[in-house]
Amino acid sequence: MMGAGKTRVGRETAQMMGVPFKDADIEIEHEIGMSIPEYFSRYGEPEFRRVESEVIADTLRGFGGIFALGGGAPMTPSVQRTLHEYMDQGGRVVYLQADPAEAMERANRGGGRPMLAGDANERWRTLFRQRDPVFDRIANVHVRTHGSTPQMAARKLMNMIDERVVHVDVVAADSYNVRIGEGALNHLAAVLGSGVARVALIHTQPVQRHSDKARALLRQAGYDVHDIVVPDAEAGKTVAVANGVWERLGVEGFTRSDAIVGVGGGAATDLAGFIAATWMRGVRYVNCPTSLLAMVDASTGGKTGVNTTAGKNLVGSFYTPAGVLADLTTLVSLPNDIFVEGLGEVAKSGFIRDPQILRILENHADELRGFDGATFLGSGLEDVAAELIERTVRVKAYHVSADLKEAGLREFLNYGHTLAHAIEKIEHFRWRHGNAVAVGCMYAAELAHLLGYIDQDLVDYHRSLLSSLGLPISWNGGSFDEVLSLMHRDKKARGNKLRFVVLDGEPGHMVHLDDPPADAVEEAFRRIRR
């Protein structure tokens, strides 16, 4: 809106990023050879909008910087088409959301605004009612500047511009975006939307600093926030914990128009999604993962659930979030071992779909294995991690988009999981999921080799890559009989027959393996116990 500070914030952002800045009003005045108020008075608004539309289209064709548009420009259909084309090519269209009182005061002080002729404040409010829904719909980045200096707003904008965005377009379910980058959490209010009044903020104690930020953003946006702390890790993924949350929601009067926000690791986001899927048969929810594992796995894909005494994730639902905000700043609080275990899921995604992930892991194994949250932000490793997260999420999005409910293609995401879930259960969930998946991938590779699907070199490659990242490649826990019993309860099993997913020839080529020979199943298990 007029007075939001587009020119000042735009210039600051461009300077921080080292890119050029242009202002549409200045470009238009160069084109028409007079001031905009004078042109408005002489030729009228329709003619001005035509010129404005042409200038914007011409500028966006070859400009690689920050471009501040006039407040009325996005209301013109031709400009809307230009902006949509720009976004389709990867461009960012930013809605700078200022405090109305501040914006009106600045707009009045600046003067020279034909659209505010007459009662300026009343005219501003009228325009806001008309424009706000359009701006909100058109923009793919929303930056709230309430209480921010121009420098603070510019830094927030810069972080959002640098974000990586993966669109998850799900058949027979709502699509959503996964945003990856520093400050991604700032999108929280925009993703929740204006139709929500109350928000249940579900989080664990170890991520208090991140839940504090989420709570502040929610309250700043006017939501009524209800804090719900759950046990950390798998201890929080139980029916008893879920029941306690349902009781809280009932007592506090949550309705179908309210929402859930999950902040934390994979277990917390799984639980938050399960609560959202089951309360009132489904309410809006947003995932804010704070660990590498949660960013690449649990928060994306629409799987929600809890564990039972019978096994892991056997009770749950398929329910997509409104959005996922993978804020890289949350990784600074991760201990090294928690970061490294997330690499198990990253490597799995490389094996099943994107071999470039494997090459990145190879090239940066020492840095990844030595992760230190204190030096992470601003380092070269941050860019590496961001690319790995984006690529892994794209692998998941590919499988989920066509097969939300795991009827076929999505099962390939479970590479290594048949044994992994058995290990977690036998170890009473003291083993981290990503570590169990790494061992599970080794097991799947050994089984595939025994049955002639892959050669020994690819088995050895699994071993060398996973161990170079600091991930385990063997397990000496329970007996084969215990493991076999649990693998028969795996979600991929069909009747009394085991079902695995294995590589066929090379990474990126997957097949289902139904009812493999019992001796091969046992021999592969023996080989990962070395």
Side-chain angles (χ1 to χ4, degrees):
M1 282 294 296
M2 290 173 284
K6 295 185 293 294
T7 301
R8 176 72 186 276
V9 173
R11 279 206 179 96
E12 292 279 356
T13 306
Q15 186 171 4
M16 288 178 180
M17 298 182 71
V19 298
F21 171 78
K22 287 185 178 182
D23 185 287
D25 287 350
I26 294 174
E27 298 302 309
I28 291 167
E29 288 183 342
H30 286 162
E31 178 71 20
I32 61 181
M34 65 183 74
S35 72
I36 288 175
E38 183 181 355
Y39 194 87
F40 236 84
S41 175
R42 186 178 300 182
Y43 299 104
E45 184 178 356
E47 177 61 19
F48 169 76
R49 295 301 178 196
R50 184 192 64 77
V51 174
E52 179 183 55
S53 177
E54 290 178 357
V55 168
I56 291 171
D58 289 343
T59 302
L60 287 182
R61 282 192 191 100
F63 184 56
I66 308 293
F67 187 30
L69 303 186
M75 303 301 289
T76 306
S78 58
V79 173
Q80 292 178 12
R81 288 191 292 273
T82 297
L83 295 179
H84 282 303
E85 290 170 5
Y86 179 66
M87 289 188 288
D88 286 343
Q89 296 165 5
R92 302 283 197 267
V93 174
V94 181
Y95 181 13
L96 208 60
Q97 297 169 298
D99 175 69
E102 292 176 6
M104 280 189 282
E105 192 274 330
R106 282 197 295 265
N108 287 333
R109 189 171 63 235
R113 300 179 186 271
M115 297 300 292
L116 295 184
D119 184 338
N121 284 352
E122 181 56 33
R123 183 67 181 142
W124 192 98
R125 283 189 285 266
T126 299
L127 288 171
F128 178 76
R129 287 191 292 270
Q130 295 168 355
R131 293 177 177 181
D132 177 63
V134 177
F135 292 178
D136 187 65
R137 185 182 71 250
I138 288 175
N140 60 359
V141 177
H142 297 70
V143 180
R144 293 176 61 86
T145 63
H146 297 52
S148 300
T149 64
Q151 292 77 16
M152 290 165 60
R155 184 159 296 281
K156 184 185 291 187
L157 173 55
M158 179 179 70
N159 288 337
M160 289 186 171
I161 290 171
D162 283 341
E163 281 177 354
R164 299 163 184 259
V165 181
V166 179
H167 184 68
V168 185
D169 193 4
V170 184
V171 175
D174 292 333
S175 61
Y176 56 95
N177 287 327
V178 180
R179 296 185 177 276
I180 305 154
E182 284 189 44
L185 202 58
N186 289 314
H187 291 286
L188 187 51
V191 176
L192 277 175
S194 58
V196 173
R198 276 168 294 202
V199 176
L201 181 62
I202 299 176
H203 64 94
T204 59
Q205 194 63 47
V207 301
Q208 188 72 49
R209 62 190 286 191
H210 309 311
S211 63
D212 286 347
K213 181 178 179 182
R215 187 185 310 104
L217 289 168
L218 291 168
R219 286 180 174 162
Q220 185 183 52
Y223 298 106
D224 177 16
V225 184
H226 298 250
D227 220 45
I228 300 179
V229 182
V230 297
D232 191 28
E234 300 295 331
K237 273 183 63 173
T238 68
V239 176
V241 171
N243 187 60
V245 178
W246 290 323
E247 292 292 336
R248 278 281 307 274
L249 298 182
V251 168
E252 293 171 13
F254 270 67
T255 68
R256 189 167 288 168
S257 62
D258 297 319
I260 306 293
V261 171
V263 178
T269 54
D270 270 359
L271 177 72
F274 183 60
I275 296 296
T278 51
W279 186 253
M280 297 281 177
R281 297 185 175 89
V283 297
R284 194 171 182 83
Y285 85 105
V286 178
N287 272 334
C288 304
T290 61
S291 70
L292 177 61
L293 182 73
M295 290 178 182
V296 300
D297 182 33
S299 65
T300 302
K303 268 189 181 180
T304 76
V306 294
N307 304 328
T308 69
T309 54
K312 183 171 180 177
N313 294 332
L314 295 180
V315 174
S317 67
F318 295 97
Y319 191 68
T320 55
V324 178
L325 306 177
D327 194 326
L328 297 181
T329 62
T330 64
L331 297 181
V332 302
S333 61
L334 275 192
N336 171 271
D337 61 326
I338 306 302
F339 178 86
V340 168
E341 68 124 347
L343 297 173
E345 280 285 352
V346 175
K348 176 213 75 177
S349 296
F351 284 123
I352 69 171
R353 174 73 182 170
D354 183 1
Q356 180 61 21
I357 289 176
L358 303 178
R359 287 188 280 273
I360 295 170
L361 291 173
E362 283 182 63
N363 294 336
H364 299 279
D366 290 343
E367 302 159 66
L368 291 163
R369 188 177 65 248
F371 170 84
D372 180 358
T375 60
F376 174 66
L377 293 181
S379 70
L381 185 59
E382 182 181 359
D383 290 335
V384 172
E387 183 174 1
L388 287 172
I389 294 167
E390 180 186 7
R391 284 182 171 276
T392 305
V393 170
R394 289 194 186 281
V395 169
K396 189 151 194 177
Y398 167 78
H399 292 85
V400 168
S401 294
D403 180 21
L404 175 65
K405 297 190 176 180
E406 204 167 66
L409 179 67
R410 183 172 181 159
E411 285 188 332
F412 293 152
L413 289 171
N414 287 322
Y415 184 57
H417 283 57
T418 304
L419 177 65
H421 286 165
I423 291 174
E424 290 177 272
K425 181 70 173 65
I426 291 170
E427 295 287 354
H428 303 289
F429 301 108
R430 289 188 295 266
W431 260 59
R432 291 277 175 182
H433 177 69
N435 290 340
V437 167
V439 177
C441 288
M442 275 307 318
Y443 174 80
E446 294 283 11
L447 182 60
H449 174 53
L450 285 167
L451 297 176
Y453 286 92
I454 64 174
D455 59 24
Q456 184 62 49
D457 286 346
L458 187 47
V459 178
D460 293 340
Y461 178 69
H462 275 69
R463 185 173 292 110
S464 63
L465 177 66
L466 295 171
S467 58
S468 74
L469 296 169
L471 291 161
I473 54 174
S474 62
W475 177 68
N476 291 301
S479 68
F480 176 68
D481 286 342
E482 287 179 282
V483 168
L484 186 62
S485 174
L486 287 168
M487 289 198 298
H488 271 288
R489 300 181 206 168
D490 181 73
K491 294 185 294 296
K492 293 188 302 303
R494 297 293 185 268
N496 200 34
K497 295 181 179 180
L498 290 177
R499 180 176 168 93
F500 297 88
V501 292
V502 296
L503 294 180
D504 184 14
E506 61 184 355
H509 294 203
M510 306 297 297
V511 293
H512 288 102
L513 182 57
D514 292 312
D515 200 24
D519 58 344
V521 173
E522 185 168 6
E523 174 60 18
F525 180 74
R526 188 189 66 76
R527 293 187 178 189
I528 59 99
R529 292 174 72 81
R530 297 179 219 178

